[in-house]
Amino acid sequence: MTSSRQLAELLDRVSVDRMTTAIATLASDPFAGRRVGSAGGAAARAWLVDQLAAISADVRTEEFPVRAVPQVYETPTVTWGDRHGAVELVFGRQVAIHTASADTVHPRRGALAVAGKQDPAGRWLVVPAEMSLFDAYRDTRGAAGLLVRRPVDAEGWQFTMLAGPDPGPLPVLTLDPDTHHGVLAAAAAGDGWLDGTTPLRRDDVTGTNIHARLRQPASGGVELLLTAHYDGVGDHPGLRLPGASDNATGVAVVLEAARILASGLADGVGLSIALLDGEEVGALGSAHHAAQLHAAGVSPLVINVDGAGRLDGAAAVEAGGPAQRLLALLDQAGRHTGVPLTAGPVASDNRRYGGAGFAAVGIGAGMGGYHSPADTPDQVDPATLAAVVRLVLATAHLAATAPATLSSPIGDKR
Amino acid sequence: MSQNTTHVGGFTGDPAAALRITGSGACCGSPAQDVGGILPPAGEVTSADPCCGTRPAAQAVDSCCGAQARTEAIAAGQGCCS
């Protein structure tokens, strides 16, 4: 059978329904947004281990410590007012807690002032949009807290971040642009007050990667490692953050590719899977894994998928390490499958592998509702899932069959 | 008979450009760019708004986590990103 025919058969085995079912499961209520160290994350992990075991993979888990994960432990209550009246702000839309915030459960009430321009003592300081939080901290003596502007997505949600600075000494709230505009105007006019809490604690937790071996490589043979992070930023009290596109889509693509490649690669080609935890807190799961690989002296070709929700023009590709051949294979796979690619940032686990010296690429094909309640399964485009898994399958097939000169074994020409 | 030159799949431009993504080696990641919709909404972090330290310091070392910026950030009780 020709290589081209073999690849066609692999691509024909793709099931979009299987992927959308996996995404719906991972984004469902019991998994609670899959924050590292959470019960929802553990539930997702158990489900994923079962999925991998069902395709006869040799599955194990690997734990690593994660320090100071931000957790909003109750809904913040924030009200502001001026001479015209008072407004209670909606958590997640109009107000959220900055990751650099101090933890305050008792309401702090104070007059509004403009950061850097007015006496800070006892006041909530409104940070102008052009001023960084760092600069706002220059004069905060006795301040009640800081109020910074944060954009919202198309559905009006602020996004949540877990990775970020250690907490500073003050409460810090993020306001949507409209609210920030009103609060800043009131502060500049010497009018207005704000009363708010920032219930944000930091927990030391355990992250857990999932590793699966599907095929052993021959001595000196090609070793492929497919990765995707399964953790999310996690739900807040009263606010679901399902993490469908980020990154249930990537996990679904890797599971589907694993299912097909387990029996569809040439003899002697190794295949393993890493479903990674702790990406949202700084790609700690991949950092842990990359160190293990380095110590073991193995050198896999790493393909990481982060976001396969909505292809907008072209999939972004970022590479690290000695990835020239992998990029050439990806390019050929893109041409064969009709998936447009562009060099662009994929700030994900691929950076850890590339930084550790492994040939690594990250593929990002978009997502709706970044880290917000809008990241739901219905926002995931099935055609994008199909495109990305076909791209991964073709790249893996080429890596296993193409000679170093990269003359096309599947008939594509420049 | 016409020749179809429309680009469909594969890289637009040199694939090796993927090895030169700005910020790949930085601990704070890349500045937000609207590529594939994979990063925070445009405006949260821009190339003119470093994620740590003062703007002049970050610009001087051409990195959001340069030594001077990091020192200032730590001195102010902050981590790398703000």
Side-chain angles (χ1 to χ4, degrees):
Chain A
M1 187 184 294
T2 66
S3 179
S4 177
R5 177 73 176 274
Q6 288 171 334
L7 176 55
E9 290 191 356
L10 291 183
L11 300 180
D12 282 346
R13 291 165 60 187
V14 169
S15 167
V16 171
D17 286 345
R18 255 195 315 253
M19 290 189 283
T20 55
T21 298
I23 292 163
T25 302
L26 289 166
S28 64
D29 292 356
F31 295 167
R34 311 183 307 276
R35 183 188 293 120
V36 61
S38 69
R45 184 163 55 252
W47 185 81
L48 289 168
V49 166
D50 287 347
Q51 300 305 301
L52 290 165
I55 55 173
S56 302
D58 178 14
V59 188
R60 64 181 176 82
T61 57
E62 178 76 25
E63 295 184 347
F64 57 94
V66 182
R67 182 187 151 273
V69 178
Q71 320 258 7
V72 178
Y73 57 87
E74 65 179 46
T75 303
T77 56
V78 181
T79 304
W80 85 278
D82 59 14
R83 73 191 69 175
H84 304 297
V87 179
E88 183 170 354
L89 301 180
V90 177
F91 175 50
R93 291 187 178 275
Q94 295 170 302
V95 67
I97 306 173
H98 196 287
T99 48
S101 178
D103 177 13
T104 60
V105 67
H106 300 298
R108 288 193 181 191
R109 184 183 174 106
L112 297 173
V114 180
K117 291 188 175 178
Q118 295 167 299
D119 180 6
R123 295 178 169 178
W124 281 92
L125 304 179
V126 189
V127 181
E130 65 275 12
M131 179 184 287
S132 72
L133 183 59
F134 183 91
D135 289 335
Y137 258 114
R138 287 188 188 281
D139 186 10
T140 56
R141 290 164 297 176
L146 292 163
L147 305 168
V148 301
R149 181 182 184 276
R150 175 163 286 179
V152 294
D153 64 22
E155 297 188 37
W157 294 106
Q158 295 191 28
F159 59 87
T160 291
M161 297 293 283
L162 298 185
D166 288 338
L170 289 175
V172 184
L173 292 167
T174 60
L175 304 177
D176 74 285
D178 287 345
T179 303
H180 183 269
H181 178 78
V183 168
L184 181 62
D191 187 16
W193 53 270
L194 186 137
D195 185 298
T197 60
T198 55
L200 179 74
R201 71 166 185 259
R202 287 164 177 76
D203 293 339
D204 293 344
V205 302
T206 298
T208 308
N209 291 334
I210 305 166
H211 298 287
R213 164 66 66 182
L214 289 123
R215 303 171 62 99
Q216 289 288 350
S219 178
V222 174
E223 168 80 355
L224 295 170
L225 171 62
L226 307 184
T227 67
H229 76 86
Y230 71 90
D231 68 308
V233 293
D235 292 354
H236 294 315
L239 207 60
R240 286 235 54 221
L241 289 94
S245 286
D246 187 11
N247 185 32
T249 56
V251 172
V253 163
V254 167
L255 285 176
E256 183 67 7
R259 195 184 311 271
I260 294 169
L261 292 172
S263 60
L265 283 174
D267 290 343
V269 177
L271 176 65
S272 58
I273 304 298
L275 301 179
L276 300 161
D277 205 356
E279 193 271 351
E280 300 293 4
V281 290
L284 299 185
S286 49
H288 183 75
H289 186 215
Q292 289 181 312
L293 291 174
H294 191 76
V298 295
S299 300
L301 302 176
V302 183
I303 301 174
N304 179 57
V305 182
D306 195 349
R310 190 181 301 167
L311 189 60
D312 181 16
V317 177
E318 177 175 329
Q324 289 82 356
R325 179 169 185 264
L326 187 52
L327 279 170
L329 296 170
L330 193 64
D331 183 40
Q332 190 178 355
R335 283 185 276 126
H336 185 78
T337 56
V339 179
L341 306 172
T342 186
V346 181
S348 183
D349 292 302
N350 43 283
R351 290 184 175 178
R352 294 295 195 179
Y353 294 107
F358 302 112
V361 295
I363 301 169
M367 52 186 67
Y370 177 81
H371 289 190
S372 92
D375 187 6
T376 51
D378 63 300
Q379 295 296 308
V380 175
D381 171 32
T384 297
L385 291 172
V388 176
V389 77
R390 287 165 59 85
L391 178 69
V392 171
L393 288 171
T395 304
H397 175 80
L398 286 166
T401 59
T405 54
L406 287 177
S407 59
S408 174
I410 53 176
D412 296 294
K413 291 182 173 58
R414 269 284 186 203
Chain B
M1 186 169 126
S2 63
Q3 184 176 11
N4 181 5
T5 57
T6 303
H7 179 83
V8 180
F11 277 95
T12 302
D14 180 8
L19 283 161
R20 301 188 294 269
I21 306 298
T22 302
S24 290
C27 62
C28 297
S30 298
Q33 296 177 31
D34 188 18
V35 177
I38 59 168
L39 290 167
E44 174 61 12
V45 180
T46 71
S47 57
D49 190 11
C51 58
C52 69
T54 62
R55 189 164 299 140
Q59 288 174 338
V61 297
D62 193 31
S63 166
C64 67
C65 291
Q68 183 181 350
R70 179 186 293 273
T71 300
E72 293 186 8
I74 292 171
Q78 297 186 68
C80 186
C81 303
S82 62

